[in-house]
Amino acid sequence: MITGIGTVAYDKRLGYQFCTSFVTPDEGREIWRGDDLGARLVDKLPEETFRRGWKVTTADEEDDEKLKELHKLAEKLSVNAKLKKAAKFERALGGAAIMIGALDSKDVMEPLTDDGAIREIAFLTVFEIDDLTPWSYYTDPREAGYGEVEIWTINPITVALGPGNNAPEIMRVHETRVLHFQGIRTSRRNRDGQRPGFGDNVFTRVADLLRDFHASFNAAGILVQDFAQAVIKIQGLAEAFAEEEEGVESMRNRIKAVELARSVARAVILDSTEEYERKATPVAGLPDLIDRFMIRLAAAFDTPFTELFGDSPSGMAATGAGETRSWYAQVDTWREDKIDRHLERLIKLMFRTLGGEPDDWTLDWVPLWQPTDKEDAETRKTIAETDKILIESSVIAPEEAAIAHYSQSKFNPHITIDFEARETIEDEFGLPDAEPTPMEEAELAVARQMSTQPAPGATPPPGTPPPPPPGVSR
């Protein structure tokens, strides 16, 4: 062992260990409250998710009235605001929950089943991580929810109480009546510091990096304050400090006099043996170092640089469209993982209060990326050219393209062929037979010519002129 590589005593690499800098819910709440970048990490995804909204659609026009009632009920219950709030609590604190106030004539400790009538959804209440603790779990490995919470104890300790308020009632609620936002879970078992039934907040993974980033910016602020340091050369300074207190006080008064004269007279008054100059603090490489910290932080936050820091893209023809599209795709992925199942659950329950769930319905989110007028015009031109090719090839009829694109209030770029409806369209519009294409006309001409020629060796019909001699055209 000459180099010591591979031994803890000499190899610095082996002295590094992976450990988690756990951020408690209280610490996460303070970061969310007081740090701008921490607030962006918490708020950005939920805000972007609900910025354009969503809608429910069905294939049956008879459901239009029920859909209108559904959206009114969602607005009345503040579904978007409650889901957004719970998602922010989950990201900042490590977990949250929404209690569904479904009135179905059962005790809240009993399951909220997928069948049966619901008179009303009276409320949606958002609880923070401190308000809930598990009462019991699913312990049978043969159950679908094995290892998950079966019944929650809700003790709203985060509510503000006034002199005239009594302490809130402690409830036990079945998990089917609760939308569980569980935080970041890496194991079914609770890790160090985690609350039972919940995981980590988003700050746990980036705490060290966020701290280093702010330390670098604070250091830059100190350098700015000390950017140009004044240097005064006074003859006999060392001897004066070596003397009694009178010498030290004399030098201190002299320095004060120089600074005072500089600030009042805007001039530096010196003795012939004194010198005054300002030396700049070197900051070469500091901007690049801070840029690297910013890039690293954007990677840790999993957020595009332009979205996190609000910096415009640089370079020729740089629009940031690529980063924006990538960011919107990331928002969609997060939404599908964290929001869709909770929202679909609420939609099903709301349908039950409106008389029943339609046979076929879909949840559609309004796309975050909205094309410009120019892009929209180019898209429609491409669609029109495609429709022309399909119509000339007899794949679709002009009426089918018109109905598909313009039968709704908004232009629909897609065409779905309803083969059963084609007969109805032909009866209503009297569609003529499609004209043959040039290729088909050529094939028909060859077929007609061949049909008029006798087979080899066959006797030509009476009156048929004899064939011309070789080399002579008829």
Side-chain angles (χ1 to χ4, degrees):
M1 277 295 189
I2 298 176
T3 63
I5 295 178
T7 63
V8 178
Y10 295 97
D11 196 336
K12 295 180 180 180
R13 299 172 303 166
L14 301 181
Y16 181 85
Q17 295 181 350
F18 286 98
C19 59
T20 301
S21 298
F22 177 72
V23 178
T24 67
D26 289 336
E27 292 172 337
R29 188 180 286 107
E30 292 304 311
I31 296 174
W32 184 20
R33 175 189 178 192
D35 185 81
D36 62 325
L37 291 177
R40 286 195 181 191
L41 179 59
V42 170
D43 297 337
K44 196 69 174 175
L45 279 172
E47 290 290 346
E48 280 293 308
T49 294
F50 289 96
R51 180 168 59 85
R52 302 287 302 181
W54 53 270
K55 60 181 179 179
V56 175
T57 58
T58 64
D60 193 347
E61 295 182 357
E62 296 180 358
D63 295 325
D64 289 349
E65 195 63 32
K66 181 178 288 187
L67 294 179
K68 292 181 181 178
E69 294 298 322
L70 173 77
H71 289 93
K72 288 181 181 179
L73 180 57
E75 185 175 353
K76 177 183 176 182
L77 293 171
S78 300
V79 170
N80 287 5
K82 297 299 176 66
L83 288 172
K84 190 192 305 183
K85 185 177 182 180
K88 291 181 179 180
F89 281 155
E90 178 190 29
R91 294 176 65 78
L93 311 180
I98 299 177
M99 181 179 175
I100 305 171
L103 307 182
D104 60 343
S105 303
K106 294 182 181 180
D107 187 82
V108 292
M109 285 189 66
E110 297 182 32
L112 180 60
T113 58
D114 292 333
D115 54 1
I118 297 178
R119 299 193 309 274
E120 181 187 3
I121 298 179
F123 58 85
L124 297 174
T125 304
V126 181
F127 292 105
E128 298 182 24
I129 191 174
D130 300 317
D131 297 327
L132 297 96
T133 53
W135 171 255
S136 63
Y137 293 84
Y138 291 107
T139 57
D140 189 347
R142 295 168 293 183
E143 291 180 312
Y146 169 67
E148 300 299 329
V149 177
E150 180 184 16
I151 296 178
W152 290 93
T153 296
I154 298 180
N155 181 17
I157 62 176
T158 58
V159 66
L161 296 178
N165 293 121
N166 296 321
E169 178 187 359
I170 298 177
M171 298 177 292
R172 291 191 175 92
V173 182
H174 196 271
E175 57 90 12
T176 55
R177 300 176 185 272
V178 174
L179 301 179
H180 181 203
F181 293 74
Q182 63 181 355
I184 301 174
R185 299 288 297 273
T186 58
S187 173
R188 185 181 287 117
R189 297 176 298 168
N190 282 96
R191 313 306 299 173
D192 293 340
Q194 291 179 345
R195 304 290 177 85
F198 297 99
D200 295 327
N201 53 38
V202 293
F203 298 125
T204 294
R205 290 180 174 175
V206 300
D208 292 337
L209 188 61
L210 185 61
R211 189 180 297 111
D212 292 342
F213 176 79
H214 284 303
S216 66
F217 256 82
N218 291 337
I222 294 173
L223 288 177
V224 170
Q225 296 178 7
D226 193 32
F227 187 72
Q229 180 63 47
V231 178
I232 303 176
K233 296 182 180 180
I234 301 176
Q235 187 174 8
L237 178 62
E239 291 80 358
F241 278 108
E243 294 177 1
E244 298 296 331
E245 186 175 349
E246 295 180 358
V248 176
E249 187 65 24
S250 176
M251 287 296 104
R252 185 179 292 115
N253 292 334
R254 177 59 186 141
I255 295 173
K256 286 182 180 179
V258 171
E259 287 296 315
L260 181 61
R262 185 175 64 88
S263 61
V264 174
R266 296 184 181 180
V268 180
I269 303 174
L270 300 174
D271 189 82
S272 60
T273 59
E274 296 174 338
E275 292 184 16
Y276 181 94
E277 63 177 324
R278 300 186 66 88
K279 289 187 175 293
T281 302
V283 293
L286 181 61
D288 293 336
L289 181 62
I290 292 179
D291 286 346
R292 295 301 181 270
F293 270 111
M294 295 172 71
I295 294 172
R296 179 67 183 91
L297 193 66
F301 280 19
D302 203 12
T303 305
F305 190 90
T306 54
E307 294 290 337
L308 181 59
F309 294 103
D311 187 27
S312 301
S314 58
M316 295 183 62
T319 62
E323 278 195 355
T324 301
R325 288 180 182 272
S326 176
W327 166 244
Y328 287 162
Q330 183 179 333
V331 172
D332 290 339
T333 301
W334 179 85
R335 187 207 70 229
E336 292 170 2
D337 181 47
K338 295 292 185 178
I339 300 297
D340 279 3
R341 57 191 176 92
H342 295 314
L343 181 55
E344 289 172 359
R345 169 76 168 153
L346 289 177
I347 291 173
K348 290 180 180 181
L349 294 176
M350 287 190 292
F351 269 134
R352 288 167 61 182
T353 67
L354 299 174
E357 185 179 350
D359 295 331
D360 184 20
W361 62 270
T362 56
L363 170 62
D364 299 320
W365 291 83
V366 180
L368 294 174
W369 179 264
Q370 298 296 315
T372 63
D373 293 340
K374 180 181 179 181
E375 292 173 336
D376 189 57
E378 291 175 349
T379 300
R380 292 200 182 199
K381 179 181 178 182
T382 302
I383 293 174
E385 293 172 349
T386 304
D387 290 345
K388 181 181 179 182
I389 295 173
L390 295 176
I391 292 171
E392 291 177 351
S393 302
S394 300
V395 176
I396 61 173
E399 289 72 16
E400 287 178 315
I403 291 174
H405 293 321
Y406 301 103
S407 62
Q408 301 177 6
S409 59
K410 188 176 181 180
F411 179 79
N412 179 17
H414 306 290
I415 296 179
T416 301
I417 299 177
D418 188 348
F419 293 97
E420 295 181 357
R422 279 195 168 187
E423 296 181 1
T424 304
I425 294 176
E426 291 177 359
D427 293 340
E428 291 183 1
F429 295 100
L431 297 179
D433 294 335
E435 297 182 359
T437 63
M439 180 66 70
E440 292 173 339
E441 290 181 350
E443 292 176 351
L444 289 173
V446 172
R448 284 194 294 267
Q449 182 179 1
M450 294 182 64
S451 64
T452 59
Q453 295 180 358
T459 303
T464 302
V472 178
S473 62
R474 177 176 293 174

